[in-house]
Amino acid sequence: MPHFGDYQNEIYLDGLRDVLPRLPVDFKLLEQKAQAAMPASVLSYVQGGCGDEFTQRHNAEAFNHWGLIPRMMVDCSTRDLSIELFGLKLPTPIFLSPVGVLGICTSDGHGDLDVAHACSRTRIPMVASTLSNDLLETIAQNLGDTPGFFQLYTPKDKKLAESLVHRAESAGFKGIVVTLDTWLTGWRPRDLNAANFPQLRGHALQNYFTDPYFRALLAKPPEDDLSAAVMQWAQIFGKVLNWTDLPWLRSLTKLPLILKGICHPDDAKRCIDGGVDGIYLSNHGGRQANGGMAAIDMLPAVVEASGRTPVLFDSGVRHGSDIVKALALGARAVGIGRPYVYGLALDGTDGVVHVLRSLLAEADLLMAVDGFPTLATLREAGVIRL
């Protein structure tokens, strides 16, 4: 039976023919290579965080104070990392977190499709952002048989929100992920110092520009007056959501509804009471608010409060060991963000595939060496706060 960890065998055997990996297998070198290759404006938007970026750093560093305790004399020659999520049987416990500038991370402007192709090849789900250069329908088509989810930045206009959700349903997405913490942007010094906001330059807005309801709001179509269309988008972006909006959100779709940005156990309980199907614990990787707790440190309480409702998790995941620790703490699935974006920028679809295979290989080998053949045995053992 093949395992994700077998990727290292491919690399070593290629080395016998003097063939080295096109990209590094570790995050530190991957990031360094991306820093040297990516345009400054794109890099600052992808890499930057909020304020002095303490929360962004803390998200990643906090994994180091959670530790696994290995168990020996366990047969891990066969391992199973598959999960069930919203009725879907998935071969891995990871997914791609939504990133709103994938399109401009490749020279041809179609990074969204490169990521969809990578998901199709790896069978790893993608959460496609509302903010994309390619249409959500085209992204869904390029996912092939791999399930995808649609992430909604809820606009102020409810009819536009309904239009976007119904388009996602028709396109074949398997769930709607509503981001709660981005009704306005946090204080991001890297972007502010460069006066750089890609969407105000017309990037990643194709889902709006092609939407019949949005186009009806314009005096001229975007292809005739881009500036006016962008300003209309800026005025309509970002509805302030509160608990009285939850019944409306729930009514938008019969697909699984997942709320992203939940960090407090009481909020998780209230979501579940309101008919939400999944809790997505995330602090937006430190991009939206500074000075908060690391996301991984908030995971145990949210998992406990959520009961049988699945908890998705992202923020600060850089290594396979991070994935394993989040799973051990009860996350049903773990989202990857910046690492796959760096792979995308460096080598398109192949770069994303390489990053995902590397992360899964590290996670798989760690579970094998530490004596956890299944996710159930891993969760039963748990992790210790160091």
Side-chain angles (χ1 to χ4, degrees), residues 7 11-12 14-15 18-25 33 354 358:
Y7 189 38
I11 294 173
Y12 286 138
D14 283 343
D18 295 325
V19 176
L20 300 180
R22 288 170 59 90
L23 297 182
V25 300
K33 195 162 186 176
H354 168 78
S358 296

Side-chain angles (χ1 to χ4, degrees), residues 49-71:
C50 198
D52 70 355
E53 301 181 354
F54 165 80
T55 298
Q56 179 171 291
R57 294 190 300 273
H58 192 40
N59 275 337
E61 294 166 355
F63 285 92
N64 293 327
H65 59 238
W66 292 95
L68 296 155
I69 299 179
R71 301 302 302 269

Side-chain angles (χ1 to χ4, degrees), residues 3-179:
H3 293 96
F4 298 114
D6 294 342
Y7 189 38
Q8 73 169 353
N9 299 335
E10 294 180 32
I11 294 173
Y12 286 138
L13 291 174
D14 283 343
L16 298 178
R17 299 183 289 109
D18 295 325
V19 176
L20 300 180
R22 288 170 59 90
L23 297 182
V25 300
D26 62 294
F27 179 77
K28 183 178 180 180
L29 290 180
L30 181 73
E31 185 174 48
Q32 289 176 3
K33 195 162 186 176
Q35 286 174 327
M38 295 174 71
S41 61
V42 179
L43 178 65
S44 69
Y45 194 85
V46 170
Q47 192 177 50
C50 198
D52 70 355
E53 301 181 354
F54 165 80
T55 298
Q56 179 171 291
R57 294 190 300 273
H58 192 40
N59 275 337
E61 294 166 355
F63 285 92
N64 293 327
H65 59 238
W66 292 95
L68 296 155
I69 299 179
R71 301 302 302 269
M72 295 295 104
M73 305 293 283
V74 178
D75 183 2
C76 291
S77 57
T78 299
R79 301 178 297 283
D80 182 7
L81 273 66
S82 67
I83 63 168
E84 289 190 7
L85 184 66
F86 308 124
L88 301 168
K89 180 74 171 179
L90 302 173
T92 84
I94 68 173
F95 63 94
L96 301 194
S97 298
V99 176
V101 290
L102 296 178
I104 62 173
C105 288
T106 57
S107 59
D108 66 358
H110 293 289
D112 301 286
L113 298 187
D114 283 336
V115 173
H117 296 155
C119 292
S120 178
R121 283 171 52 181
T122 59
R123 298 179 64 202
I124 294 171
M126 171 188 188
V127 181
S129 176
T130 308
L131 298 171
S132 62
N133 268 11
D134 285 288
L135 301 184
L136 64 91
E137 290 87 353
T138 309
I139 293 169
Q141 290 172 2
N142 282 272
L143 286 170
D145 294 331
T146 299
F149 297 82
F150 179 71
Q151 175 266 339
L152 177 70
Y153 283 123
T154 311
K156 294 174 183 176
D157 192 302
K158 287 187 173 182
K159 290 185 178 179
L160 177 57
E162 292 168 4
S163 179
L164 291 168
V165 169
H166 294 158
R167 286 174 59 191
E169 288 179 323
S170 298
F173 286 100
K174 302 301 183 183
I176 304 297
V177 176
V178 179
T179 294

Side-chain angles (χ1 to χ4, degrees), residues 155-157 200 214 228-238:
K156 294 174 183 176
D157 192 302
L200 291 180
F214 182 84
V230 169
M231 288 303 104
Q232 178 64 56
W233 168 80
Q235 292 170 14
I236 208 169
F237 180 83

Side-chain angles (χ1 to χ4, degrees), residues 231-285:
M231 288 303 104
Q232 178 64 56
W233 168 80
Q235 292 170 14
I236 208 169
F237 180 83
K239 176 177 170 55
V240 180
L241 293 167
N242 56 55
W243 291 112
T244 61
D245 292 305
L246 184 52
W248 168 69
L249 287 172
R250 178 63 280 181
S251 72
L252 287 178
T253 181
K254 293 182 179 180
L255 292 174
L257 179 66
I258 303 104
L259 297 193
K260 179 177 182 286
I262 299 298
C263 294
H264 195 287
D266 290 348
D267 288 347
K269 292 177 182 178
R270 197 162 183 179
C271 288
I272 295 165
D273 290 342
V276 168
D277 301 288
I279 303 299
Y280 190 153
L281 195 164
S282 170
N283 61 16
H284 219 108

Side-chain angles (χ1 to χ4, degrees), residues 319-330:
H319 312 285
S321 57
D322 299 338
I323 295 170
V324 173
K325 291 176 183 180
L327 293 169
L329 286 169

